[in-house]
Amino acid sequence: MSISGDYEPSPTDWVRQQVDKIAETGDTGSVDIRGRAVVLLSMIGGKSGKLRKVPLMRVEHDGVYAAVASLGGAPQHPVWYYNLLANPDIDLQDGTTTTPRRARLVTDEAERAVWWERAVEAYPDYADYQTKTERVIPIFVLEPR
Ligand code: F42
């Protein structure tokens, strides 16, 4: 079943504009960050129960995706990190294709190291973000459900 609910747009202007562009075009390929590809997660807010749409960098391997909770190297986790823990069933749009996914926080260090390498390959700035924060930047894998 696809994720639906009362849609609450991001309070951050540039993020909301990217989400609007994806909705208008039906294609995540219509936006990018520094020339790198973006995907769109639809999730349910852990407290509000509202539909949240969160664009993230596209990190993919063999049909599995990763969600990197970098928040630009901020000291705190993005709010969506807690949403995914509370409500792991999401929809993921890549290009014009949307698939149902389940988010799993990667806790195994070796598994995280493999995904971190893939993440930095997809978006090299993640390496810089990790140096700015004492957090170990969390990674979820987004597996088909
Ligand atoms: N963020 C990343 O962390 N990693 C990325 O790879 C990434 C890529 C990216 C690409 C394109 C783009 O446009 C944005 C990108 N972002 C990336 C930014 C990302 O989309 C998020 O905007 C960012 O991570 C911040 O997420 P956030 O969940 O902290 O958003 C804040 C600003 C926000 O929306 N807060 C809401 C608010 O009103 O303050 C709350 C949203 C929410 O989910 N509330 C919950 C609920 O239940 O509805 C719970 C509220 C609570 O108190 O717990």
Side-chain angles (χ1 to χ4, degrees):
M1 213 187 83
S2 67
I3 301 302
S4 61
D6 181 12
Y7 172 48
E8 183 72 28
S10 170
T12 309
D13 284 348
W14 68 271
V15 174
R16 193 174 59 247
Q17 282 159 16
Q18 290 213 323
V19 175
D20 288 349
K21 184 96 180 277
I22 293 167
E24 277 162 34
T25 59
D27 187 356
T28 60
S30 62
V31 302
D32 69 90
I33 302 281
R34 299 160 72 116
R36 304 278 176 159
V38 168
V39 294
L40 185 68
L41 278 63
S42 296
M43 65 182 70
I44 300 297
K47 290 184 182 166
S48 66
K50 289 186 172 172
L51 173 64
R52 305 281 183 182
K53 296 191 178 185
V54 179
L56 297 176
M57 302 317 295
R58 181 184 186 279
V59 181
E60 184 271 344
H61 182 80
D62 281 352
V64 177
Y65 293 75
V68 181
S70 55
L71 196 58
Q76 78 282 7
H77 297 323
V79 176
W80 61 259
Y81 165 90
Y82 301 99
N83 294 340
L84 289 190
L85 291 180
N87 296 314
D89 286 4
I90 62 161
D91 285 340
L92 170 84
Q93 183 178 349
D94 181 13
T96 57
T97 304
T98 300
T99 51
R101 301 268 159 177
R102 182 160 296 140
R104 172 174 63 83
L105 182 64
V106 177
T107 52
D108 180 80
E109 272 184 38
E111 186 186 15
R112 185 186 173 282
V114 169
W115 277 106
W116 180 252
E117 197 173 313
R118 291 170 184 155
V120 171
E121 194 177 322
Y123 189 62
D125 285 14
Y126 283 140
D128 182 40
Y129 298 162
Q130 183 59 87
T131 66
K132 293 184 180 169
T133 178
E134 291 183 4
R135 294 187 290 136
V136 176
I137 291 177
I139 300 178
F140 293 86
V141 289
L142 309 176
E143 293 162 326
R145 67 177 155 90

mmCIF file of all heavy atoms in Angstrom, residues 9-12 14-15 18-19 33 38 43-50 52-57 68-72 77-83 123 126, ligand 1:
data_model
loop_
_atom_site.group_PDB
_atom_site.id
_atom_site.type_symbol
_atom_site.label_atom_id
_atom_site.label_comp_id
_atom_site.label_asym_id
_atom_site.label_seq_id
_atom_site.Cartn_x
_atom_site.Cartn_y
_atom_site.Cartn_z
ATOM 1 N N PRO A 9 4.212 20.274 4.025
ATOM 2 C CA PRO A 9 5.441 20.599 3.303
ATOM 3 C C PRO A 9 6.586 20.967 4.245
ATOM 4 O O PRO A 9 6.361 21.405 5.370
ATOM 5 C CB PRO A 9 5.044 21.808 2.443
ATOM 6 C CG PRO A 9 3.552 21.815 2.416
ATOM 7 C CD PRO A 9 3.111 21.187 3.697
ATOM 8 N N SER A 10 7.811 20.809 3.776
ATOM 9 C CA SER A 10 8.998 21.176 4.554
ATOM 10 C C SER A 10 8.962 22.671 4.865
ATOM 11 O O SER A 10 8.631 23.490 4.004
ATOM 12 C CB SER A 10 10.266 20.870 3.760
ATOM 13 O OG SER A 10 11.391 21.442 4.409
ATOM 14 N N PRO A 11 9.355 23.050 6.097
ATOM 15 C CA PRO A 11 9.441 24.479 6.423
ATOM 16 C C PRO A 11 10.654 25.168 5.777
ATOM 17 O O PRO A 11 10.763 26.392 5.825
ATOM 18 C CB PRO A 11 9.578 24.479 7.951
ATOM 19 C CG PRO A 11 10.141 23.148 8.296
ATOM 20 C CD PRO A 11 9.685 22.186 7.245
ATOM 21 N N THR A 12 11.531 24.389 5.159
ATOM 22 C CA THR A 12 12.757 24.949 4.565
ATOM 23 C C THR A 12 12.500 25.268 3.087
ATOM 24 O O THR A 12 12.205 24.356 2.297
ATOM 25 C CB THR A 12 13.912 23.937 4.702
ATOM 26 O OG1 THR A 12 13.991 23.510 6.059
ATOM 27 C CG2 THR A 12 15.227 24.554 4.280
ATOM 28 N N TRP A 14 14.172 26.096 0.254
ATOM 29 C CA TRP A 14 14.830 25.466 -0.899
ATOM 30 C C TRP A 14 14.471 23.983 -1.013
ATOM 31 O O TRP A 14 14.376 23.449 -2.115
ATOM 32 C CB TRP A 14 16.348 25.687 -0.871
ATOM 33 C CG TRP A 14 17.092 24.988 0.233
ATOM 34 C CD1 TRP A 14 17.346 25.479 1.479
ATOM 35 C CD2 TRP A 14 17.689 23.678 0.187
ATOM 36 N NE1 TRP A 14 18.047 24.544 2.216
ATOM 37 C CE2 TRP A 14 18.277 23.446 1.453
ATOM 38 C CE3 TRP A 14 17.787 22.682 -0.782
ATOM 39 C CZ2 TRP A 14 18.948 22.257 1.773
ATOM 40 C CZ3 TRP A 14 18.462 21.492 -0.469
ATOM 41 C CH2 TRP A 14 19.033 21.295 0.787
ATOM 42 N N VAL A 15 14.217 23.355 0.129
ATOM 43 C CA VAL A 15 13.825 21.939 0.098
ATOM 44 C C VAL A 15 12.408 21.810 -0.455
ATOM 45 O O VAL A 15 12.124 20.985 -1.328
ATOM 46 C CB VAL A 15 13.940 21.305 1.505
ATOM 47 C CG1 VAL A 15 13.394 19.888 1.501
ATOM 48 C CG2 VAL A 15 15.390 21.338 1.989
ATOM 49 N N GLN A 18 12.308 22.147 -4.125
ATOM 50 C CA GLN A 18 12.736 20.936 -4.851
ATOM 51 C C GLN A 18 11.626 19.883 -4.850
ATOM 52 O O GLN A 18 11.389 19.226 -5.869
ATOM 53 C CB GLN A 18 14.028 20.371 -4.245
ATOM 54 C CG GLN A 18 15.244 21.266 -4.528
ATOM 55 C CD GLN A 18 16.540 20.500 -4.704
ATOM 56 O OE1 GLN A 18 16.790 19.507 -4.025
ATOM 57 N NE2 GLN A 18 17.384 20.971 -5.608
ATOM 58 N N VAL A 19 10.945 19.740 -3.723
ATOM 59 C CA VAL A 19 9.836 18.777 -3.655
ATOM 60 C C VAL A 19 8.725 19.178 -4.633
ATOM 61 O O VAL A 19 8.168 18.328 -5.347
ATOM 62 C CB VAL A 19 9.289 18.650 -2.211
ATOM 63 C CG1 VAL A 19 8.063 17.740 -2.168
ATOM 64 C CG2 VAL A 19 10.367 18.119 -1.276
ATOM 65 N N ILE A 33 21.620 18.272 -6.602
ATOM 66 C CA ILE A 33 22.466 19.070 -5.716
ATOM 67 C C ILE A 33 23.884 18.939 -6.251
ATOM 68 O O ILE A 33 24.410 17.823 -6.325
ATOM 69 C CB ILE A 33 22.430 18.555 -4.251
ATOM 70 C CG1 ILE A 33 21.016 18.547 -3.674
ATOM 71 C CG2 ILE A 33 23.384 19.378 -3.377
ATOM 72 C CD1 ILE A 33 20.483 19.868 -3.196
ATOM 73 N N VAL A 38 19.169 13.001 -6.891
ATOM 74 C CA VAL A 38 18.353 13.091 -5.679
ATOM 75 C C VAL A 38 17.209 12.077 -5.790
ATOM 76 O O VAL A 38 16.716 11.809 -6.889
ATOM 77 C CB VAL A 38 17.809 14.541 -5.566
ATOM 78 C CG1 VAL A 38 16.724 14.677 -4.529
ATOM 79 C CG2 VAL A 38 18.958 15.524 -5.286
ATOM 80 N N MET A 43 7.138 9.697 3.850
ATOM 81 C CA MET A 43 7.085 9.011 5.144
ATOM 82 C C MET A 43 6.008 9.643 6.014
ATOM 83 O O MET A 43 5.505 10.723 5.709
ATOM 84 C CB MET A 43 8.444 9.122 5.842
ATOM 85 C CG MET A 43 8.802 10.545 6.220
ATOM 86 S SD MET A 43 10.422 10.686 6.998
ATOM 87 C CE MET A 43 11.529 10.338 5.619
ATOM 88 N N ILE A 44 5.698 8.964 7.121
ATOM 89 C CA ILE A 44 4.700 9.474 8.053
ATOM 90 C C ILE A 44 5.406 10.009 9.303
ATOM 91 O O ILE A 44 6.244 9.310 9.895
ATOM 92 C CB ILE A 44 3.689 8.360 8.430
ATOM 93 C CG1 ILE A 44 2.966 7.836 7.183
ATOM 94 C CG2 ILE A 44 2.692 8.851 9.473
ATOM 95 C CD1 ILE A 44 2.105 8.864 6.461
ATOM 96 N N GLY A 45 5.078 11.235 9.695
ATOM 97 C CA GLY A 45 5.687 11.859 10.878
ATOM 98 C C GLY A 45 5.430 11.037 12.125
ATOM 99 O O GLY A 45 4.302 10.597 12.366
ATOM 100 N N GLY A 46 6.476 10.867 12.925
ATOM 101 C CA GLY A 46 6.380 10.029 14.115
ATOM 102 C C GLY A 46 5.454 10.583 15.173
ATOM 103 O O GLY A 46 4.847 9.826 15.941
ATOM 104 N N LYS A 47 5.326 11.905 15.222
ATOM 105 C CA LYS A 47 4.433 12.506 16.222
ATOM 106 C C LYS A 47 3.142 13.014 15.605
ATOM 107 O O LYS A 47 2.075 12.824 16.158
ATOM 108 C CB LYS A 47 5.151 13.670 16.922
ATOM 109 C CG LYS A 47 6.268 13.179 17.835
ATOM 110 C CD LYS A 47 6.903 14.323 18.602
ATOM 111 C CE LYS A 47 8.058 13.803 19.463
ATOM 112 N NZ LYS A 47 8.909 14.883 19.961
ATOM 113 N N SER A 48 3.278 13.685 14.447
ATOM 114 C CA SER A 48 2.099 14.337 13.847
ATOM 115 C C SER A 48 1.220 13.349 13.084
ATOM 116 O O SER A 48 0.036 13.591 12.900
ATOM 117 C CB SER A 48 2.542 15.433 12.877
ATOM 118 O OG SER A 48 3.211 14.838 11.773
ATOM 119 N N GLY A 49 1.831 12.255 12.589
ATOM 120 C CA GLY A 49 1.098 11.347 11.704
ATOM 121 C C GLY A 49 0.883 11.928 10.319
ATOM 122 O O GLY A 49 0.179 11.343 9.489
ATOM 123 N N LYS A 50 1.512 13.081 10.039
ATOM 124 C CA LYS A 50 1.324 13.717 8.726
ATOM 125 C C LYS A 50 2.303 13.153 7.702
ATOM 126 O O LYS A 50 3.357 12.623 8.057
ATOM 127 C CB LYS A 50 1.523 15.226 8.843
ATOM 128 C CG LYS A 50 0.379 15.888 9.585
ATOM 129 C CD LYS A 50 0.512 17.381 9.571
ATOM 130 C CE LYS A 50 -0.759 18.014 10.159
ATOM 131 N NZ LYS A 50 -0.610 19.447 10.330
ATOM 132 N N ARG A 52 5.155 13.367 5.196
ATOM 133 C CA ARG A 52 6.346 14.194 4.998
ATOM 134 C C ARG A 52 7.082 13.732 3.749
ATOM 135 O O ARG A 52 7.244 12.521 3.555
ATOM 136 C CB ARG A 52 7.298 14.055 6.190
ATOM 137 C CG ARG A 52 6.679 14.358 7.537
ATOM 138 C CD ARG A 52 6.583 15.836 7.751
ATOM 139 N NE ARG A 52 6.039 16.156 9.078
ATOM 140 C CZ ARG A 52 5.816 17.392 9.489
ATOM 141 N NH1 ARG A 52 6.085 18.408 8.704
ATOM 142 N NH2 ARG A 52 5.320 17.619 10.675
ATOM 143 N N LYS A 53 7.536 14.699 2.946
ATOM 144 C CA LYS A 53 8.297 14.350 1.737
ATOM 145 C C LYS A 53 9.712 14.896 1.890
ATOM 146 O O LYS A 53 9.904 16.112 2.027
ATOM 147 C CB LYS A 53 7.614 14.918 0.501
ATOM 148 C CG LYS A 53 6.235 14.288 0.310
ATOM 149 C CD LYS A 53 5.636 14.607 -1.023
ATOM 150 C CE LYS A 53 4.282 13.901 -1.150
ATOM 151 N NZ LYS A 53 3.693 14.070 -2.473
ATOM 152 N N VAL A 54 10.669 13.986 1.879
ATOM 153 C CA VAL A 54 12.053 14.346 2.191
ATOM 154 C C VAL A 54 12.962 13.958 1.029
ATOM 155 O O VAL A 54 13.167 12.766 0.761
ATOM 156 C CB VAL A 54 12.512 13.621 3.479
ATOM 157 C CG1 VAL A 54 13.964 13.978 3.806
ATOM 158 C CG2 VAL A 54 11.597 13.949 4.653
ATOM 159 N N PRO A 55 13.520 14.959 0.315
ATOM 160 C CA PRO A 55 14.494 14.629 -0.723
ATOM 161 C C PRO A 55 15.856 14.315 -0.096
ATOM 162 O O PRO A 55 16.260 14.973 0.861
ATOM 163 C CB PRO A 55 14.582 15.912 -1.574
ATOM 164 C CG PRO A 55 13.865 16.978 -0.832
ATOM 165 C CD PRO A 55 13.275 16.407 0.424
ATOM 166 N N LEU A 56 16.528 13.326 -0.630
ATOM 167 C CA LEU A 56 17.865 12.937 -0.160
ATOM 168 C C LEU A 56 18.740 12.632 -1.368
ATOM 169 O O LEU A 56 18.228 12.418 -2.470
ATOM 170 C CB LEU A 56 17.780 11.687 0.735
ATOM 171 C CG LEU A 56 16.988 11.818 2.042
ATOM 172 C CD1 LEU A 56 16.936 10.468 2.745
ATOM 173 C CD2 LEU A 56 17.588 12.876 2.958
ATOM 174 N N MET A 57 20.058 12.570 -1.159
ATOM 175 C CA MET A 57 20.935 12.201 -2.249
ATOM 176 C C MET A 57 20.678 10.742 -2.627
ATOM 177 O O MET A 57 20.327 9.918 -1.779
ATOM 178 C CB MET A 57 22.413 12.389 -1.869
ATOM 179 C CG MET A 57 22.776 13.800 -1.450
ATOM 180 S SD MET A 57 22.071 15.116 -2.471
ATOM 181 C CE MET A 57 22.893 14.814 -4.033
ATOM 182 N N VAL A 68 20.995 8.800 4.079
ATOM 183 C CA VAL A 68 22.108 9.268 4.902
ATOM 184 C C VAL A 68 21.650 10.497 5.688
ATOM 185 O O VAL A 68 21.365 11.550 5.103
ATOM 186 C CB VAL A 68 23.325 9.613 4.011
ATOM 187 C CG1 VAL A 68 24.501 10.079 4.857
ATOM 188 C CG2 VAL A 68 23.718 8.400 3.162
ATOM 189 N N ALA A 69 21.588 10.347 7.029
ATOM 190 C CA ALA A 69 21.011 11.397 7.888
ATOM 191 C C ALA A 69 22.080 12.435 8.239
ATOM 192 O O ALA A 69 22.401 12.665 9.404
ATOM 193 C CB ALA A 69 20.396 10.770 9.139
ATOM 194 N N SER A 70 22.597 13.086 7.225
ATOM 195 C CA SER A 70 23.755 13.979 7.399
ATOM 196 C C SER A 70 23.369 15.354 7.934
ATOM 197 O O SER A 70 24.108 15.937 8.718
ATOM 198 C CB SER A 70 24.477 14.144 6.067
ATOM 199 O OG SER A 70 23.583 14.583 5.074
ATOM 200 N N LEU A 71 22.262 15.880 7.468
ATOM 201 C CA LEU A 71 21.829 17.243 7.805
ATOM 202 C C LEU A 71 23.012 18.208 7.714
ATOM 203 O O LEU A 71 23.251 19.023 8.606
ATOM 204 C CB LEU A 71 21.177 17.272 9.203
ATOM 205 C CG LEU A 71 20.338 18.507 9.553
ATOM 206 C CD1 LEU A 71 19.198 18.715 8.572
ATOM 207 C CD2 LEU A 71 19.796 18.414 10.964
ATOM 208 N N GLY A 72 23.788 18.093 6.654
ATOM 209 C CA GLY A 72 24.906 19.018 6.407
ATOM 210 C C GLY A 72 25.977 19.011 7.495
ATOM 211 O O GLY A 72 26.724 19.973 7.629
ATOM 212 N N HIS A 77 20.520 14.982 14.758
ATOM 213 C CA HIS A 77 19.940 14.219 13.653
ATOM 214 C C HIS A 77 18.791 15.020 13.017
ATOM 215 O O HIS A 77 18.091 15.761 13.723
ATOM 216 C CB HIS A 77 19.360 12.891 14.151
ATOM 217 C CG HIS A 77 20.376 11.952 14.736
ATOM 218 N ND1 HIS A 77 21.649 11.822 14.244
ATOM 219 C CD2 HIS A 77 20.285 11.066 15.768
ATOM 220 C CE1 HIS A 77 22.303 10.910 14.953
ATOM 221 N NE2 HIS A 77 21.506 10.437 15.885
ATOM 222 N N PRO A 78 18.578 14.828 11.720
ATOM 223 C CA PRO A 78 17.358 15.417 11.144
ATOM 224 C C PRO A 78 16.124 14.789 11.796
ATOM 225 O O PRO A 78 16.176 13.652 12.264
ATOM 226 C CB PRO A 78 17.449 15.044 9.653
ATOM 227 C CG PRO A 78 18.452 13.949 9.561
ATOM 228 C CD PRO A 78 19.352 14.066 10.758
ATOM 229 N N VAL A 79 15.025 15.531 11.806
ATOM 230 C CA VAL A 79 13.789 15.002 12.400
ATOM 231 C C VAL A 79 13.345 13.728 11.684
ATOM 232 O O VAL A 79 12.821 12.803 12.307
ATOM 233 C CB VAL A 79 12.685 16.080 12.373
ATOM 234 C CG1 VAL A 79 11.374 15.514 12.907
ATOM 235 C CG2 VAL A 79 13.095 17.281 13.192
ATOM 236 N N TRP A 80 13.579 13.662 10.383
ATOM 237 C CA TRP A 80 13.118 12.481 9.634
ATOM 238 C C TRP A 80 13.782 11.195 10.110
ATOM 239 O O TRP A 80 13.230 10.099 9.926
ATOM 240 C CB TRP A 80 13.248 12.675 8.121
ATOM 241 C CG TRP A 80 14.630 12.902 7.567
ATOM 242 C CD1 TRP A 80 15.186 14.097 7.193
ATOM 243 C CD2 TRP A 80 15.616 11.906 7.272
ATOM 244 N NE1 TRP A 80 16.460 13.895 6.712
ATOM 245 C CE2 TRP A 80 16.749 12.565 6.742
ATOM 246 C CE3 TRP A 80 15.663 10.513 7.399
ATOM 247 C CZ2 TRP A 80 17.913 11.881 6.358
ATOM 248 C CZ3 TRP A 80 16.813 9.833 7.009
ATOM 249 C CH2 TRP A 80 17.918 10.513 6.500
ATOM 250 N N TYR A 81 14.949 11.297 10.736
ATOM 251 C CA TYR A 81 15.597 10.112 11.325
ATOM 252 C C TYR A 81 14.636 9.439 12.310
ATOM 253 O O TYR A 81 14.458 8.214 12.298
ATOM 254 C CB TYR A 81 16.904 10.558 12.009
ATOM 255 C CG TYR A 81 17.518 9.573 12.960
ATOM 256 C CD1 TYR A 81 18.452 8.630 12.520
ATOM 257 C CD2 TYR A 81 17.191 9.592 14.322
ATOM 258 C CE1 TYR A 81 19.021 7.724 13.402
ATOM 259 C CE2 TYR A 81 17.770 8.696 15.206
ATOM 260 C CZ TYR A 81 18.672 7.766 14.749
ATOM 261 O OH TYR A 81 19.232 6.875 15.623
ATOM 262 N N TYR A 82 13.996 10.266 13.163
ATOM 263 C CA TYR A 82 13.072 9.724 14.167
ATOM 264 C C TYR A 82 11.782 9.233 13.506
ATOM 265 O O TYR A 82 11.185 8.255 13.957
ATOM 266 C CB TYR A 82 12.782 10.782 15.236
ATOM 267 C CG TYR A 82 14.058 11.237 15.918
ATOM 268 C CD1 TYR A 82 14.691 12.420 15.545
ATOM 269 C CD2 TYR A 82 14.669 10.451 16.885
ATOM 270 C CE1 TYR A 82 15.890 12.817 16.131
ATOM 271 C CE2 TYR A 82 15.871 10.827 17.474
ATOM 272 C CZ TYR A 82 16.478 12.015 17.093
ATOM 273 O OH TYR A 82 17.671 12.395 17.666
ATOM 274 N N ASN A 83 11.387 9.922 12.439
ATOM 275 C CA ASN A 83 10.201 9.444 11.705
ATOM 276 C C ASN A 83 10.427 8.039 11.157
ATOM 277 O O ASN A 83 9.542 7.182 11.230
ATOM 278 C CB ASN A 83 9.875 10.384 10.537
ATOM 279 C CG ASN A 83 9.437 11.766 10.977
ATOM 280 O OD1 ASN A 83 9.028 11.961 12.111
ATOM 281 N ND2 ASN A 83 9.540 12.724 10.077
ATOM 282 N N TYR A 123 28.019 11.094 -3.299
ATOM 283 C CA TYR A 123 27.977 12.509 -2.914
ATOM 284 C C TYR A 123 29.178 12.805 -2.015
ATOM 285 O O TYR A 123 29.113 12.662 -0.787
ATOM 286 C CB TYR A 123 26.654 12.810 -2.185
ATOM 287 C CG TYR A 123 26.429 14.272 -1.948
ATOM 288 C CD1 TYR A 123 26.319 15.180 -3.012
ATOM 289 C CD2 TYR A 123 26.330 14.782 -0.647
ATOM 290 C CE1 TYR A 123 26.121 16.532 -2.783
ATOM 291 C CE2 TYR A 123 26.124 16.136 -0.416
ATOM 292 C CZ TYR A 123 26.024 17.008 -1.496
ATOM 293 O OH TYR A 123 25.827 18.342 -1.279
ATOM 294 N N TYR A 126 29.501 14.304 1.732
ATOM 295 C CA TYR A 126 29.205 13.588 2.987
ATOM 296 C C TYR A 126 30.478 13.436 3.828
ATOM 297 O O TYR A 126 30.418 13.488 5.067
ATOM 298 C CB TYR A 126 28.656 12.185 2.711
ATOM 299 C CG TYR A 126 27.210 12.106 2.282
ATOM 300 C CD1 TYR A 126 26.825 11.204 1.290
ATOM 301 C CD2 TYR A 126 26.217 12.862 2.896
ATOM 302 C CE1 TYR A 126 25.499 11.074 0.896
ATOM 303 C CE2 TYR A 126 24.885 12.744 2.508
ATOM 304 C CZ TYR A 126 24.531 11.847 1.508
ATOM 305 O OH TYR A 126 23.222 11.719 1.138
HETATM 306 N N1 F42 B 1 19.320 15.901 4.174
HETATM 307 C C1 F42 B 1 20.055 14.910 4.665
HETATM 308 O O1 F42 B 1 20.126 14.744 5.898
HETATM 309 N N2 F42 B 1 20.756 14.056 3.828
HETATM 310 C C2 F42 B 1 20.729 14.199 2.465
HETATM 311 O O2 F42 B 1 21.313 13.374 1.755
HETATM 312 C C3 F42 B 1 19.948 15.270 1.927
HETATM 313 C C4 F42 B 1 19.874 15.507 0.533
HETATM 314 C C5 F42 B 1 19.008 16.483 0.046
HETATM 315 C C6 F42 B 1 18.829 16.649 -1.333
HETATM 316 C C7 F42 B 1 17.952 17.581 -1.828
HETATM 317 C C8 F42 B 1 17.223 18.365 -0.937
HETATM 318 O O3 F42 B 1 16.337 19.263 -1.422
HETATM 319 C C9 F42 B 1 17.359 18.217 0.431
HETATM 320 C C10 F42 B 1 18.269 17.276 0.950
HETATM 321 N N3 F42 B 1 18.411 17.092 2.314
HETATM 322 C C11 F42 B 1 19.232 16.103 2.816
HETATM 323 C C12 F42 B 1 17.614 17.888 3.277
HETATM 324 C C13 F42 B 1 16.443 17.015 3.761
HETATM 325 O O4 F42 B 1 15.477 16.897 2.735
HETATM 326 C C14 F42 B 1 15.776 17.606 5.014
HETATM 327 O O5 F42 B 1 15.205 18.830 4.723
HETATM 328 C C15 F42 B 1 16.757 17.814 6.116
HETATM 329 O O6 F42 B 1 17.437 16.591 6.352
HETATM 330 C C16 F42 B 1 16.064 18.285 7.376
HETATM 331 O O7 F42 B 1 15.130 17.296 7.767
HETATM 332 P P1 F42 B 1 14.222 17.485 9.049
HETATM 333 O O8 F42 B 1 13.337 16.291 9.127
HETATM 334 O O9 F42 B 1 15.067 17.815 10.229
HETATM 335 O O10 F42 B 1 13.379 18.725 8.551
HETATM 336 C C17 F42 B 1 13.076 19.805 9.350
HETATM 337 C C18 F42 B 1 13.553 21.109 8.781
HETATM 338 C C19 F42 B 1 11.584 19.793 9.324
HETATM 339 O O11 F42 B 1 10.955 19.633 8.304
HETATM 340 N N4 F42 B 1 11.046 19.909 10.460
HETATM 341 C C20 F42 B 1 9.637 19.924 10.587
HETATM 342 C C21 F42 B 1 9.261 21.143 11.342
HETATM 343 O O12 F42 B 1 8.135 21.579 11.147
HETATM 344 O O13 F42 B 1 10.139 21.667 12.059
HETATM 345 C C22 F42 B 1 9.161 18.708 11.326
HETATM 346 C C23 F42 B 1 9.074 17.593 10.383
HETATM 347 C C24 F42 B 1 8.669 16.289 11.049
HETATM 348 O O14 F42 B 1 8.954 15.261 10.460
HETATM 349 N N5 F42 B 1 7.975 16.247 12.240
HETATM 350 C C25 F42 B 1 7.634 15.011 12.861
HETATM 351 C C26 F42 B 1 6.177 14.661 12.675
HETATM 352 O O15 F42 B 1 5.662 13.822 13.448
HETATM 353 O O16 F42 B 1 5.576 15.150 11.720
HETATM 354 C C27 F42 B 1 8.036 14.920 14.313
HETATM 355 C C28 F42 B 1 8.282 16.209 15.000
HETATM 356 C C29 F42 B 1 9.042 16.013 16.316
HETATM 357 O O17 F42 B 1 9.020 16.958 17.112
HETATM 358 O O18 F42 B 1 9.623 14.955 16.544
#
